[in-house]
Amino acid sequence: MNKFMNRAVELAAENVREGGQPFGAVLVKNDEMIAEGVNELHKKFDVSGHAELLAIRRAQEQLHTNDLSGYTMYASGEPCPMCFTAMYFAGIRDVYYCASVEDAVDAGLGTSKMIYEDLKVPNRERKLSMKQMPLDEGQEDPVKLWKDRV
């Protein structure tokens, strides 16, 4: 295991000892650690407070950019769909992890597997009900406003 994955696992273990979940993440570029994070759900009562997201937020704030192309994420556990999506949006293309989603399920942390499965089915069949609503007549369309701006 390399030094960055060792650090992610170390952060995860420390987080468990402090009452949190077993997830740590380290964001790297050019063999240099840029940011790290642990799941902080137990501290902040914020369901988006995942290790990978916190590492991304810290790096973007520090570097004043949304583009993390060329960065690599090391995570103690396989990223959940939310973190996976954030990494896509940030431009991260390389992710290494230790514990799989199945390992998380075995430990009682199995929400990610259910979400990954739910994303495979059409919207109308998902557990989370999603219904599109049209704009009111005459209402300004933010998407059109954006399109006209660029």
Side-chain angles (χ1 to χ4, degrees), residues 33-72:
M33 187 176 73
I34 305 301
E36 61 183 33
V38 297
N39 275 36
E40 294 186 354
L41 284 70
H42 65 296
K43 292 179 181 178
K44 306 282 185 172
F45 304 100
D46 173 5
V47 296
S48 71
H50 288 202
E52 300 90 338
L53 284 179
L54 293 173
I56 289 169
R57 287 176 189 158
R58 289 171 181 148
Q60 289 178 328
E61 184 176 353
Q62 172 189 335
L63 302 168
H64 298 109
T65 185
N66 291 320
D67 183 7
L68 298 177
S69 301
Y71 288 72
T72 301

